[in-house]
Amino acid sequence: MANIKIPPVVFGTSGLGNLYHALDYGTKKAIVNACLTSSSDLTFFDTAGKYGAGLALEVLGSCLKDLRIDPSKVLISNKLGWYQTELKDPEPTFEPGIWKNLKNDAVQRISYQGILDCFEQGNKLLGGYPANFVSVHDPDEYLRSAENERQSRQRYADIMDAYQALHELKSAGSVAAVGIGAKDWKVIRKIEQDVQLDWVMIANSLTVKSHPKELIQFIETLDKKNIPVINSAIFNGGFLTGSEFYNYRRIDANNADDQALLNWRSDFFDICSQYGLLPAEACFNFCRHFSGIKSIAMSTTRVEKVAQNLAMTSKQVPREFWITMYKNGLIETPIIL
C-alpha cells in the first residue's frame, strides 16, 4: 500500500457531474469548499471520467482553482476507463436518464493505451490537480457486456493490459496508488487474484440492506493483506435514505421485488425512528463495524449535508438498535451484535 493514509470519509463527486440533478456552479463550489473546510488536513475526493462524461472532473478542478487550494492539500482518486467524447444526441449513450444536462458523452476505453488516454484526459480536465490514486472503473460492466465467451476472455485481457499501464504510471512516479472500483465485488475478487492492488472500492455491495457473507469474508481477506477497502454507495444509490432509485434504477411499486424493497425500507425507517436515528446514520454505522472498511465514500448535492456526513463518523448507535434489526429480519449478519 502506498504511504498515504486514507481519511475515514472520502468525498464523492458524482453530484458535480449532475447525477439525478443539475446544480449550478456556485452550489457545486460551495459543496467542494465545505468538504475542504470540514477536513482536518488532507481532503480526499473520489471522481471519474464517467461522472457526467467528464463534467465532475472539470468542475472539481475549476472549484479547487477558484478556491485557490494548494494541490498538496487534496488527494484525488480518478477511476479510469471512460473517455469524454462529443454528445450527438439529447441523452448520453451510457446510463440514460441518470445524468442531467450534459454537454458531452463518454465511451468506455479499457486497454493499455485506452487507460493511458483516460489518465491524460482526466488530468487535463482536472487542471492543476492531477489524480494521485488511479483505478480501472467498472471492469464488471465491461465484462458483462461481452457477447460471448471468446469476447469475455479478450476483455479480461484488456483489463490486465490496463493494469499494466497503471502500474507503469506508478513505477514512473506519476501516481501514488493503483486500485479498483466496481459494483460487482466478485469481479474485484477475481481481478485481485491476478493484479497487485493498493486499495479497493466497492459500490452498492456492502450496505445495511445487502451484505453477503462471501463479501464479508473477502473484505477480511483484503484486510489481512493490508489492502484497504473504501465502501461507496452505502445508501444503495440513495434508496436507503428515501430516494426513488435503488442502485441507480428507478423503483416500480407495481413490481413484486421492488415492493419488497419498499416494505423493507418502511420497516427500517420505523426502527430508526424508534431509536431516534437518521437512516443515514444507521447505514454509516453498519459499515463501520467491518475492520477491513477503512473509509466511506459519500456524495451530496447539499452544502449542509457535508458536515452532517462527517458527523456520522462519531455518531454512536446503540447495540439494541442492531438487535432489533436482526430480530426483525432486516439484517442477515449477527457480526455487529
Side-chain angles (χ1 to χ4, degrees):
M1 173 58 192
N3 188 27
I4 298 177
K5 182 176 175 58
I6 301 177
V9 172
V10 168
F11 296 105
T13 59
S14 55
L16 303 184
N18 292 355
L19 178 67
Y20 301 143
H21 308 285
L23 304 176
D24 62 86
Y25 179 73
T27 299
K28 292 178 180 179
K29 186 167 73 170
I31 290 171
V32 171
N33 187 52
C35 295
L36 293 160
T37 56
S38 298
S39 304
S40 57
D41 184 20
L42 195 66
T43 307
F44 193 131
F45 290 102
D46 173 69
T47 190
K50 189 180 187 181
Y51 296 166
L55 178 61
L57 294 165
E58 292 181 81
V59 170
L60 178 60
S62 296
C63 289
L64 294 173
K65 182 179 180 181
D66 289 349
L67 293 167
R68 300 181 179 180
I69 303 302
D70 184 338
S72 67
K73 297 296 183 182
V74 295
L75 182 62
I76 297 176
S77 166
N78 188 8
K79 301 190 292 291
L80 305 169
W82 290 87
Y83 191 84
Q84 185 184 85
T85 60
E86 179 185 358
L87 181 66
K88 298 180 179 180
D89 299 300
E91 286 273 10
T93 54
F94 67 100
E95 298 179 339
I98 299 298
W99 305 95
K100 304 301 181 182
N101 295 0
L102 298 190
K103 60 181 181 180
N104 294 103
D105 202 349
V107 294
Q108 199 166 39
R109 288 191 183 179
I110 296 181
S111 64
Y112 180 90
Q113 188 58 49
I115 220 71
L116 292 177
D117 292 343
C118 292
F119 176 69
E120 180 180 358
Q121 184 186 70
N123 280 349
K124 182 177 180 181
L125 293 174
L126 285 165
Y129 299 88
N132 297 306
F133 277 37
V134 291
S135 61
V136 176
H137 195 195
D138 295 336
D140 48 341
E141 292 184 9
Y142 188 62
L143 292 172
R144 190 166 57 246
S145 61
E147 296 179 357
N148 51 54
E149 182 60 28
R150 181 191 60 80
Q151 189 178 70
S152 180
R153 289 194 299 268
Q154 179 56 56
R155 291 194 169 205
Y156 193 77
D158 291 341
I159 293 169
M160 293 299 102
D161 290 343
Y163 272 106
Q164 179 184 341
L166 294 185
H167 280 289
E168 288 177 6
L169 289 174
K170 182 183 175 183
S171 296
S174 299
V175 300
V178 173
I180 189 170
K183 299 180 183 70
D184 186 342
W185 66 268
K186 292 183 178 180
V187 170
I188 296 176
R189 183 174 61 181
K190 176 177 173 59
I191 291 173
E192 191 271 332
Q193 294 173 352
D194 296 324
V195 174
Q196 183 178 349
L197 298 174
D198 295 315
W199 57 276
V200 163
M201 173 177 278
I202 57 176
N204 300 326
S205 299
L206 184 73
T207 72
V208 71
K209 177 65 182 72
S210 176
H211 37 274
K213 291 180 180 178
E214 276 188 286
L215 172 57
I216 294 171
Q217 292 169 354
F218 176 52
I219 291 172
E220 291 173 350
T221 299
L222 293 175
D223 194 23
K224 292 176 181 177
K225 295 180 179 180
N226 293 318
I227 300 175
V229 176
I230 302 171
N231 195 4
S232 67
I234 65 169
F235 308 128
N236 287 113
F239 177 77
L240 301 184
T241 54
S243 166
E244 59 187 2
F245 290 85
Y246 182 80
N247 293 350
Y248 311 110
R249 175 185 61 81
R250 188 182 294 275
I251 287 291
D252 179 4
N254 295 317
N255 177 281
D257 290 338
D258 285 359
Q259 186 57 56
L261 286 173
L262 292 169
N263 292 340
W264 185 97
R265 185 173 68 179
S266 177
D267 292 341
F268 173 54
F269 282 4
D270 286 345
I271 296 175
C272 286
S273 177
Q274 178 184 340
Y275 285 88
L277 294 171
L278 296 174
E281 293 172 336
C283 292
F284 189 96
N285 186 267
F286 178 86
C287 296
R288 290 292 296 274
H289 281 84
F290 304 90
S291 62
I293 304 293
K294 304 302 182 183
S295 185
I296 309 292
M298 290 190 289
S299 301
T300 184
T301 55
R302 294 164 55 189
V303 177
E304 66 274 14
K305 280 286 187 179
V306 175
Q308 293 176 25
N309 287 345
L310 282 170
M312 285 191 282
T313 62
S314 58
K315 177 67 178 182
Q316 298 298 312
V317 174
R319 182 170 179 269
E320 290 74 20
F321 172 81
W322 297 117
I323 293 174
T324 302
M325 289 281 288
Y326 185 64
K327 287 182 175 180
N328 282 271
L330 297 190
I331 57 174
E332 299 174 8
T333 175
I335 192 172
I336 64 171
L337 303 181

